[in-house]
Amino acid sequence: MKTRYALLAMMFVAAIPLSAQGGGGGRRNGGGGGAAMNIDNLTTTYKLTADQKTAAEALIKTYTTATQATQAWMRSEAQAGGAQNADSLKKITDARATFDSGFKALLTAPQAQVYDSVQKAQPVRRRGGGGAI
């Protein structure tokens, strides 16, 4: 039972910062903490060029499209007191891993060093849940 609550808590830790992105109506634009999945924060943190920003926006849109329905379902289940669904969590985690690898591939070597330092600064509980920024 504690494992389920821990997984649920990880999901909410990943989803809460996204609600501040103005998606409205339960719409989420990604997951993570800090600068994660917010194009303005990503641009500032990594000093993205215009081309990198455009590519990062496309990655965010892909992630959002892939996870929006699953995240909404997981929230409704959590609010109804339902058990955490491991398959749904895996889908979110896999989509995040795809975003992370695609985003890092966009970066130059100095930007990738910043990315790696941000990854290391993330709490340990996040590393098992699909990566950080």
Side-chain angles (χ1 to χ4, degrees):
M1 192 67 157
K2 288 183 181 180
T3 303
R4 289 182 185 191
Y5 286 118
L7 291 173
L8 183 62
M10 285 181 7
M11 191 257 321
F12 282 113
V13 167
I16 289 171
L18 303 173
S19 64
Q21 293 185 23
R27 180 182 173 135
R28 304 288 186 194
N29 292 329
M37 301 296 236
N38 177 309
I39 194 61
D40 295 329
N41 288 342
L42 292 173
T43 300
T44 301
T45 301
Y46 301 105
K47 298 177 181 35
L48 299 179
T49 65
D51 289 341
Q52 288 173 319
K53 184 176 177 179
T54 300
E57 287 172 327
L59 289 170
I60 291 170
K61 183 176 180 180
T62 299
Y63 173 86
T64 302
T65 301
T67 62
Q68 185 176 11
T70 302
Q71 287 183 352
W73 182 81
M74 289 173 71
R75 279 190 306 277
S76 69
E77 286 295 303
Q79 290 171 350
Q84 183 71 37
N85 183 307
D87 291 336
S88 296
L89 187 58
K90 182 175 179 353
K91 182 177 180 180
I92 301 292
T93 301
D94 290 348
R96 181 55 192 235
T98 300
F99 171 84
D100 288 344
S101 64
F103 181 72
K104 188 170 181 184
L106 296 173
L107 303 177
T108 64
Q111 290 169 322
Q113 287 178 334
V114 172
Y115 176 91
D116 290 338
S117 70
V118 170
Q119 286 276 56
K120 288 178 186 174
Q122 294 297 316
V124 173
R125 70 180 183 275
R126 290 273 303 121
R127 293 209 183 112
I133 302 172

